[in-house]
Amino acid sequence: MSSCPVSQSTSPPSDTVKTSDTVKISCTASSCCSNNTRSEAATKEHQTSTVSGGMQLSWTITGMDCPGCATKIENAVKGLNGVTQARVTFATERLLVAVENRAGIRDDILKTLGELGFAVKDDDASKTAVDCFLKKYWRIVSLALFMLIAVLVQGVFPVAGNGFFYLATLWGLYPVATKAWQSARNGSPFSIETLMTTAATGALFLGETVEAAMVLLLFMIGEHMEAFAAGKARQGVRKLMALTPETACQIDKYGHKTEVSAHTLTPGDIIEILPGSRLPVDGELLTANVSFDESALTGESVPVEHHPGEHVMAGSLSVDRVARLKVISKPGESAVDRIIRLIEEAEERKAPVERFIDAFSRWYTPLMMFMAVLVVLVPPLAFGQPWIEWIYKALTLLLIACPCALVISTPAAVTSALARASRNGALVKGGAALELLGSVTTVAFDKTGTLTAGKPVVTHITPFDYSTPNPEREVLRLAAAVESGSTHPLAKAIVARALEMNIRLPATGEIEVKAGLGVQGQVEDKTVVVASPRYLHDSLTEGAQQQLEQLEEQGNTIAVVTVEGDLVGFIALRDDPRTEAPNAIASLKAMGINSIMLTGDNPRAAKTIASQLGMAYRSGLLPGDKSAEIESLRKQGRVAMIGDGINDAPALKTADIGIAMGSGADVALETADCALTHNRVAELADLIELSRATMNVIRQNIFLAVGSKAVFLVTTLLGMTGLWVAVLADTGATALVTANALRLLRNRSGNTRKD
């Protein structure tokens, strides 16, 4: 559906160097047969941007079956002349390369990818399904046909049939041996292709032509099975990447509509989307009362009604009417872009068990090759055993040594878990954070904006200076003037109340924020402070202290307003708990996890909220105090801290796991290990449960991978396992661990919303 039925502007070609530092992934289609129409900029094979005098190139890669493939590409590309940095993200199939600006560098990179057996994604919509099938499977199909002919010929002419099997093996061996050679040249000498090449070549010399050909056929089939499984694991990420349309309907100041590339939109631009269309960027709604389906981003199945002035995330779908919005995100910095960036960064933060397996696999294959050499030499030389028999067993051992199942056992589970978490509105920055989540024994919560809705309202104003005609209005006027530039929920509530009362705010200067205490500024040549009651400490009169305690016992948070150091009034505000907060705390308790609220609020207000939620609390805490409380709690076990404000950042960093609310301050989101993008604490229990399930799956996968190797190692040495059975067993183990990992993509919890 076109959202802008007017003359379209032409997008610039993608190979033009852009001035932005942002690199846009060129293709988000799930297969090479995509029929989606895209802008010219999107159909190019790569995107380019300038970076510090050089260039940054980005491609979407096809053919990566496991994280080991990503490592091969990185090692190869890093070794090219002119490449300063290379990074491959397996989850998004993205290759990002920083290069010197020299001629031919793109061709060198593409040539290297081709030599390794990988290619950039082809988005030619004119290709048919048959074209795509042949491109992906022609080598398998041709090898299978070659072997079928060999079988038929061998039935009549045994010698000729054996020759056909010999040729079939060479036909299947050529691409495998080529990849093995290229991998060895680029720093990966012990690749699976090396093992397959050695085993198939050895089988030919032993005259086992049928088994040699069968080994290669099963290996190729296994590779495509891995690719299919990897594609399923990446499906959630692909759907996320496809949420934002490539074009947008922009409206200029004269009301003219033009279809433009979404990547050219900047903050302040006005765009329009039709019902059934998705928002390409983050926007501020200008149209009254529009419902948006945000399920793809938040997991919330019910459309959410938004009002003018509210922010709407990129990827949200307009449900009921034409909507106009003002762009508020820079190119490459929308909600979807940030999520994808976090997913890419997550691959660099591997779980401890994943790092161990990576290290183990690096010496495992060379060790198994050394064992194969011993199997060849020791029995014949030491015990006079027949050479051919033990060479055959050694070749079988090489195939059993293929570490695919072990290497993919952990990343497949982690990728599936991260995809499910992001689908349900939780971002986890890597396997390390995911692993730690399951071992948490205590969760510390910030109060305002985390356990509460973050939308406090002014409930009462108590003036102490009656020298003006309307003292309550004057207290509010001064406080709102100082708080007008703040993003703190309490400050917003004070300003909102002043605007409701049509109070004109005076100019304010020399604003100074004091973390955990309040804010001060110059208003009409006087120093006005809006702060916590601890700011005055013991200087309150007995009457003021009684008023303060009475308001706090009602569950209010108090803002003290002073002018030139003299108390002029109290502003009482109340922020009620989130509706889902009681269930969230109860769910954690049922899992054996303690909950505690850490707040800078007064003890009486904190006690009111904590008693409603059934949890412990610590009150009157400054940012440093929260960190100290976290350190104390860590002595009893692993601690997760969840918050949303700038003042929560130190505690988030101190905790074993920091969890930020998605609507929180940028510094909190950057500091945290996880983020709840939908702002529902109810999902926290599901996230911890997912972490525990992931670790169970990883343990199961390692047992399957290592156990199968051990079993077939014994059967090989006993002469019970042949070459093709060894390959079939390895492929089967890989398929099993991958299928087991894919179970994590399914939602099981009743609390988790399904999209």
Side-chain angles (χ1 to χ4, degrees):
M1 177 184 295
S2 175
S3 61
C4 198
V6 292
S7 60
Q8 300 181 7
S9 64
T10 304
S11 302
S14 65
D15 52 2
T16 301
V17 177
K18 300 178 182 178
T19 57
S20 169
D21 288 340
T22 302
V23 178
K24 176 70 178 180
I25 296 175
S26 59
C27 171
T28 56
S30 60
S31 72
C32 64
C33 298
S34 172
N35 291 321
N36 297 333
T37 58
R38 298 181 180 273
S39 65
E40 181 183 355
T43 57
K44 298 292 183 181
E45 65 184 13
H46 69 271
Q47 296 287 330
T48 309
S49 65
T50 58
V51 179
S52 303
M55 292 190 301
Q56 204 170 54
L57 308 178
S58 176
W59 283 272
T60 303
I61 306 299
T62 60
M64 290 194 295
D65 306 328
C66 68
C69 297
T71 302
K72 289 179 189 176
I73 296 173
E74 276 189 3
N75 291 338
V77 175
K78 284 178 181 177
L80 294 177
N81 181 32
V83 173
T84 57
Q85 187 177 1
R87 185 162 67 93
V88 180
T89 309
F90 178 67
T92 56
E93 301 177 282
R94 181 183 178 189
L95 167 63
L96 185 64
V97 188
V99 300
E100 298 173 357
N101 196 352
R102 73 168 180 83
I105 187 66
R106 295 184 185 88
D107 293 337
D108 290 346
I109 294 173
L110 293 176
K111 180 181 178 182
T112 301
L113 290 173
E115 290 174 345
L116 291 173
F118 304 99
V120 298
K121 191 174 285 290
D122 185 357
D123 294 318
D124 187 355
S126 65
K127 287 184 177 290
T128 65
V130 174
D131 294 329
C132 295
F133 179 84
L134 292 176
K135 181 178 179 180
K136 291 179 67 176
Y137 301 110
W138 74 276
R139 179 72 65 170
I140 291 179
V141 173
S142 59
L143 178 58
L145 289 175
F146 222 139
M147 292 176 64
L148 178 60
I149 293 172
V151 171
L152 295 176
V153 172
Q154 193 174 42
V156 182
F157 305 104
V159 176
N162 197 52
F164 268 101
F165 272 115
Y166 193 93
L167 293 175
T169 301
L170 294 178
W171 173 250
L173 183 61
Y174 174 75
V176 178
T178 301
K179 288 183 69 173
W181 170 245
Q182 291 298 332
S183 296
R185 287 180 56 193
N186 293 296
S188 302
F190 300 110
S191 64
I192 185 174
E193 289 82 10
T194 301
L195 298 178
M196 286 295 165
T197 301
T198 304
T201 303
L204 283 181
F205 279 108
L206 293 178
E208 302 290 344
T209 55
V210 177
E211 288 200 69
M214 181 64 73
V215 161
L216 292 168
L217 180 62
L218 291 174
F219 171 65
M220 291 180 182
I221 293 173
E223 276 195 321
H224 283 282
M225 288 175 63
E226 287 182 29
F228 173 77
K232 293 288 288 184
R234 284 191 291 244
Q235 202 169 57
V237 178
R238 284 186 179 136
K239 288 179 179 179
L240 183 65
M241 293 165 66
L243 281 180
T244 53
E246 297 287 348
T247 60
C249 182
Q250 184 176 1
I251 303 175
D252 62 21
K253 60 182 179 180
Y254 303 107
H256 300 147
K257 300 179 182 180
T258 308
E259 187 166 10
V260 300
S261 171
H263 313 148
T264 65
L265 294 174
T266 57
D269 290 343
I270 305 300
I271 60 174
E272 182 178 274
I273 61 172
L274 297 177
S277 299
R278 292 192 181 275
L279 187 60
V281 292
D282 294 348
E284 179 183 314
L285 186 62
L286 303 177
T287 307
N289 305 331
V290 183
S291 294
F292 287 90
D293 179 356
E294 301 174 347
S295 59
L297 289 165
T298 67
E300 178 59 69
S301 58
V302 179
V304 179
E305 184 175 348
H306 286 272
H307 305 285
E310 293 185 349
H311 293 177
V312 187
M313 292 183 292
S316 300
L317 184 144
S318 176
V319 174
D320 52 2
R321 66 186 62 186
V322 176
R324 288 195 178 186
L325 304 99
K326 180 172 69 175
V327 177
I328 60 174
S329 60
K330 296 178 182 179
E333 295 185 8
S334 70
V336 172
D337 292 319
R338 292 196 300 271
I339 292 172
I340 292 172
R341 188 159 57 246
L342 287 174
I343 292 173
E344 291 180 339
E345 292 172 355
E347 287 199 10
E348 299 176 3
R349 306 182 184 187
K350 295 182 178 181
V353 64
E354 191 172 0
R355 290 196 297 269
F356 169 76
I357 289 177
D358 285 347
F360 175 75
S361 64
R362 280 195 290 271
W363 60 262
Y364 166 77
T365 302
L367 176 63
M368 295 302 289
M369 294 186 75
F370 177 71
M371 287 184 61
V373 172
L374 293 181
V375 168
V376 170
L377 298 177
V378 174
L381 293 178
F383 305 103
Q385 297 291 314
W387 283 94
I388 292 180
E389 177 185 345
W390 287 96
I391 290 174
Y392 183 85
K393 289 181 179 180
L395 294 176
T396 306
L397 182 62
L398 285 180
L399 298 184
I400 293 173
C402 293
C404 286
L406 183 63
V407 170
I408 204 173
S409 61
T410 300
V414 170
T415 300
S416 297
L418 294 181
R420 173 175 150 189
S422 64
R423 186 178 66 199
N424 292 332
L427 291 178
V428 184
K429 298 181 182 178
L434 184 67
E435 181 175 338
L436 283 173
L437 269 170
S439 59
V440 164
T441 58
T442 302
V443 177
F445 292 84
D446 171 50
K447 181 176 76 72
T448 304
T450 303
L451 288 172
T452 63
K455 297 180 180 179
V457 294
V458 175
T459 59
H460 190 76
I461 301 174
T462 302
F464 292 97
D465 182 1
Y466 295 93
S467 61
T468 58
N470 192 336
E472 290 186 3
R473 189 180 181 90
E474 179 64 11
V475 170
L476 187 60
R477 183 181 78 93
L478 294 173
V482 175
E483 297 280 25
S484 59
S486 175
T487 59
H488 193 281
L490 297 180
K492 288 183 177 180
I494 292 173
V495 174
R497 182 60 179 272
L499 295 177
E500 287 176 8
M501 297 175 63
N502 297 318
I503 296 176
R504 179 176 295 180
L505 303 183
T508 309
E510 300 181 22
I511 297 295
E512 181 182 354
V513 177
K514 297 183 177 181
L517 289 177
V519 60
Q520 74 177 33
Q522 292 294 315
V523 182
E524 298 172 344
D525 297 327
K526 295 179 181 180
T527 301
V528 177
V529 176
V530 182
S532 164
R534 71 168 70 91
Y535 173 74
L536 295 181
H537 200 46
D538 298 327
S539 61
L540 290 176
T541 64
E542 184 176 347
Q545 185 66 39
Q546 289 177 352
Q547 288 267 14
L548 177 66
E549 293 176 1
Q550 184 179 357
L551 291 170
E552 288 180 341
E553 285 173 356
Q554 296 170 5
N556 292 303
T557 299
I558 308 302
V560 174
V561 184
T562 67
V563 177
E564 296 293 331
D566 296 327
L567 177 65
V568 297
F570 292 152
I571 299 178
L573 306 99
R574 186 164 57 236
D575 188 12
D576 293 326
R578 293 176 179 272
T579 55
E580 78 275 10
N583 288 337
I585 303 303
S587 297
L588 291 174
K589 186 175 181 180
M591 297 170 68
I593 298 174
N594 299 318
S595 300
I596 185 171
M597 180 174 69
L598 305 181
T599 177
D601 210 343
N602 65 82
R604 285 171 283 273
K607 181 179 180 180
T608 300
I609 297 294
S611 61
Q612 293 178 27
L613 299 177
M615 63 190 303
Y617 71 94
R618 301 284 187 276
S619 60
L621 303 177
L622 295 173
D625 298 329
K626 288 186 178 181
S627 296
E629 287 289 342
I630 294 293
E631 286 286 7
S632 177
L633 291 170
R634 289 182 65 189
K635 297 176 182 178
Q636 305 166 25
R638 285 201 170 126
V639 179
M641 170 69 191
I642 177 168
D644 71 328
I646 293 175
N647 62 334
D648 295 322
L652 292 173
K653 192 69 175 177
T654 303
D656 295 288
I657 293 290
I659 305 171
M661 300 295 281
S663 62
D666 288 343
V667 67
L669 292 170
E670 291 171 4
T671 303
D673 302 292
C674 311
L676 302 181
T677 58
H678 46 43
N679 299 310
R680 286 197 303 263
V681 292
E683 305 299 342
L684 183 56
D686 289 342
L687 189 57
I688 294 175
E689 182 183 349
L690 174 61
S691 170
R692 294 178 176 180
T694 303
M695 296 312 300
N696 285 335
V697 167
I698 289 174
R699 284 189 284 269
Q700 293 165 6
N701 281 354
I702 293 174
F703 177 79
L704 284 171
V706 176
S708 63
K709 300 295 181 187
V711 169
F712 283 96
L713 174 63
V714 174
T715 58
T716 295
L717 296 178
L718 293 176
M720 300 168 59
T721 303
L723 289 175
W724 70 272
V725 176
V727 175
L728 188 61
D730 181 73
T731 301
T734 302
L736 276 176
V737 299
T738 305
N740 193 37
L742 291 178
R743 293 190 300 117
L744 292 168
L745 288 170
R746 296 180 299 184
N747 287 336
R748 293 192 192 87
S749 173
N751 295 331
T752 303
R753 291 165 171 80
K754 297 181 180 181
D755 36 331

